[in-house]
Amino acid sequence: MNMNVSKRLEEGLVSLLSKSTTTLKTSKQTHAHLYVTGLHTHPFFFGKLLLQCAISISDHALQYALRLFHHFPSPDTFMYNTIIRSLSHSSTPLTSLQPFIQLLRHPTLFPDSFSFAFVLKGVANYGYLKRPGIQLHSQAFRHGFDDHIFVGTTLISMYAECGCYVSARKVFEEMSQPNVVAWNAVVTACFRCGDMEGAWGVFQRMPIRNLTSWNVMLAGYVKGGELGFARRVFSEMPMRDDVSWSTMIVGFAQGGSFDDSFGFFRELLREGIRPSEVSLTGVLSACAQAGAFEFGKILHGFMEKAGVLCIVSVNNALIDSYSKCGNVDMAKMVFQNMPVVKCTVSWTSMIAALAMHGRGEEAIRLFHEMEKSGFTPDGITFISLLYACSHSGLVDQGCALFSKMKDLYGIEPAIEHYGCMVDLYGRAARLQKAYEFICQMPISPNAIIWRTLLGACSIHGNIELAELVKARLTEMDPNNSSDHVLLSNVYAVAGKWKDVAGIRRTMIEKSMKKTPGWSMIEIDKVIYGFVAGEKPNEVTEEAHDKLREIMLKLRTEEGYAPQVRSVLHDIEEEEKEDSVTKHSEKLAAAFGIAKLPKGKVLRIVKNLRVCGDCHTVMKLISKVYQVEIVVRDRSRFHSFKDGFCSCRDYW
DNA sequence: ATAGGGTTAG
């Protein structure tokens, strides 16, 4: 071949191989190019190709990279590192140990600082130490990389992710020349292990603080629920970037302060900053939290104009937002028309969307489609699936999926998976089975697991088991008001009023506060919040007036009578008989009927579970007023139409 | 020759 031609060809290939965003299809084409030119055995070109496939977030590309790697006659350290790196970022991060060990045992190759940094990151992402982490640390020492700045920094985050706070701090203190990234890593480690004072102390000691250090502080406070501190740091930082804004927007949304969250976004726009796709997805997640459907739609349009719909995470956020705003069909539209290759998160978000809306069978069908399309589900996919089964009463399917997760996909069940299984049996009235399941769990059950079973006891009225479970909960979390309320409901259903009164007394003695229930409704892009028993204002007055009118209509036309049982949910309310008529979701619905134009869907978001009486009232309103009402409660959606609910009264 | 650690997004 002519020298110039071959030089030009090589340059062309290098530029092809250097593209950071590629699809599997173009990578395969590049592979074909290499093959034709005979360069596919050339370590440099092949290495580049491998990297291109491996860094792509696509599942298929990773599998393709693994196949390429296994067929390459003699991979070099760079290729090993590439594979270790991509596995450490995958849903099964511990699998990165396998090529690393191969590299360690290789007769002529040696691991370098990259190999250690990548494999340690894998253990960090796995988040559970036991032996591999410590062994890797000693191997790094043996190979002389433990004081390497990148390896050291990853060691800090690995120990912190695995909960070994002391080791994380020790690695840092022993570093000969920590740079600002290492300082940031140790601050993150403090937050990660719950030591807020420690984090502040280290932050004060830092020799240099760049923007990221401040962002680390913001993120730490936000995750620890210290929004006041976060706000202070935010106002004091010398400059802010997109990450700073996103952290505040998402943090306040997760803390339930939606006004603040949207306020930060408006401020960002006022300052003339062009929001990136991350801050846009952040605001969108705030919409999802708040159930602000109309605002979410505006953002969707904004994203289209900004040209960010080609980014997969933006589509995932849209699916999540639409479904959490009660519009599962719009979520499906986004999912089906994605202008970019889907990833595991896209499928999982769609499965979760169907699950939340009680469309369990459809969620399972979509999962099978996901498998057929060659995508690998992760732990969260299975949480969504098990949730779908428990909310649709699909006990057998749920059990089968739980086994499949362990046996076929090798995913070790986390506490959340066990929680779903307890819920699955419990809701389906198989209380004994749920109890036995908890007793033979390989990890020790936490309060949430027991609380799930207590909830099931209260639905199905099993006093004996409820008392046993409550005793366990009292040992673990003695001052939890919702546990007391749940047990008192069990007594109330059985007519054991003395016991109900006893619990009420205990709660007063311990001055326990029941979580106040609130509901929100969005009307003309404004979000209105209602809290039961709050001081009257213009809005609540109007809601109350309309609610009285509605209730009268329901009594006369549908023979509705308030359900006594639900009154008992509010055992702390002074005016018991009256309280059930004042539940926040009823007020929100009444306000919606008064304000929204006819034909519009009423979308209500509630922080607690919807009570039995409100559920009945919503069904009746949907029939009498011929209106569709979508209520999102703390665990799922209820779609009321023509007197029926999508949950088929199973919730 | 090629890549890497700390902050935001299910």
Side-chain angles (χ1 to χ4, degrees), chain A residues 299-334:
Chain A
L299 278 172
H300 191 171
F302 198 95
M303 289 169 152
E304 211 167 342
K305 280 200 213 93
V308 293
L309 289 186
C310 56
I311 298 168
V312 67
S313 58
V314 171
N315 290 272
N316 300 343
L318 279 167
I319 296 168
D320 185 54
S321 174
Y322 276 129
S323 80
K324 285 188 179 148
C325 290
N327 201 322
V328 69
D329 296 315
M330 286 283 271
K332 213 167 161 180
M333 275 252 283
V334 173

Side-chain angles (χ1 to χ4, degrees), chain A residues 321-569:
Chain A
S321 174
Y322 276 129
S323 80
K324 285 188 179 148
C325 290
N327 201 322
V328 69
D329 296 315
M330 286 283 271
K332 213 167 161 180
M333 275 252 283
V334 173
F335 179 75
Q336 282 167 344
N337 299 314
M338 278 172 68
V340 56
V341 181
K342 294 179 180 64
C343 67
T344 301
V345 179
S346 326
W347 290 90
T348 301
S349 303
M350 195 59 228
I351 290 171
L354 293 166
M356 270 187 279
H357 287 82
R359 287 155 71 163
E361 277 105 349
E362 215 175 321
I364 295 173
R365 274 204 299 280
L366 190 68
F367 172 64
H368 290 144
E369 207 183 305
M370 174 184 182
E371 285 182 304
K372 262 188 236 140
S373 314
F375 286 88
T376 314
D378 64 13
I380 305 177
T381 315
F382 279 100
I383 289 176
S384 308
L385 279 167
L386 295 175
Y387 178 96
C389 293
S390 79
H391 283 267
S392 298
L394 306 169
V395 181
D396 294 340
Q397 287 94 323
C399 295
L401 284 164
F402 188 64
S403 309
K404 190 171 199 176
M405 171 177 93
K406 292 186 290 182
D407 304 340
L408 188 63
Y409 291 105
I411 298 171
E412 195 59 44
I415 193 88
E416 292 86 357
H417 297 100
Y418 290 110
C420 287
M421 291 305 288
V422 172
D423 197 42
L424 180 73
Y425 289 126
R427 271 176 208 279
R430 293 170 64 175
L431 297 173
Q432 197 56 38
K433 179 77 194 165
Y435 180 66
E436 283 162 16
F437 184 85
I438 295 178
C439 295
Q440 49 95 58
M441 271 168 56
I443 47 179
S444 59
N446 59 14
I448 299 170
I449 298 277
W450 289 114
R451 195 164 295 137
T452 304
L453 183 56
L454 185 59
C457 290
S458 104
I459 297 173
H460 298 293
N462 184 328
I463 295 179
E464 209 176 310
L465 189 56
E467 285 176 335
L468 191 150
V469 172
K470 178 65 177 69
R472 289 294 182 88
L473 276 164
T474 307
E475 287 165 23
M476 302 171 94
D477 192 1
N479 295 317
N480 188 300
S481 63
S482 63
D483 295 343
H484 287 78
V485 175
L486 280 172
L487 185 62
S488 91
N489 285 345
V490 179
Y491 289 138
V493 172
K496 292 192 149 194
W497 304 112
K498 255 192 186 158
D499 293 310
V500 174
I503 290 179
R504 183 177 160 76
R505 228 179 2 259
T506 315
M507 289 181 74
I508 292 169
E509 275 164 18
K510 292 191 169 184
S511 59
M512 280 184 202
K513 283 270 177 293
K514 191 172 85 82
T515 316
W518 52 255
S519 297
M520 299 184 298
I521 185 163
E522 186 190 40
I523 291 160
D524 202 20
K525 281 144 215 134
V526 178
I527 297 169
Y528 295 89
F530 296 89
V531 183
E534 69 184 323
K535 276 199 196 124
N537 57 47
E538 252 177 67
V539 171
T540 53
E541 291 283 340
E542 192 173 349
H544 271 112
D545 289 345
K546 189 69 187 179
L547 184 58
R548 267 191 292 275
E549 181 195 315
I550 293 171
M551 293 312 247
L552 187 67
K553 201 172 160 91
L554 297 189
R555 275 173 206 267
T556 49
E557 290 182 16
E558 298 290 330
Y560 158 78
Q563 284 166 32
V564 189
R565 180 185 162 181
S566 303
V567 180
L568 296 156
H569 279 270

Side-chain angles (χ1 to χ4, degrees), chain A residues 152-169:
Chain A
T153 309
T154 322
L155 274 169
I156 295 172
S157 55
M158 179 201 72
Y159 277 122
E161 285 304 312
C162 299
C164 303
Y165 185 40
V166 177
S167 306
R169 293 289 297 249

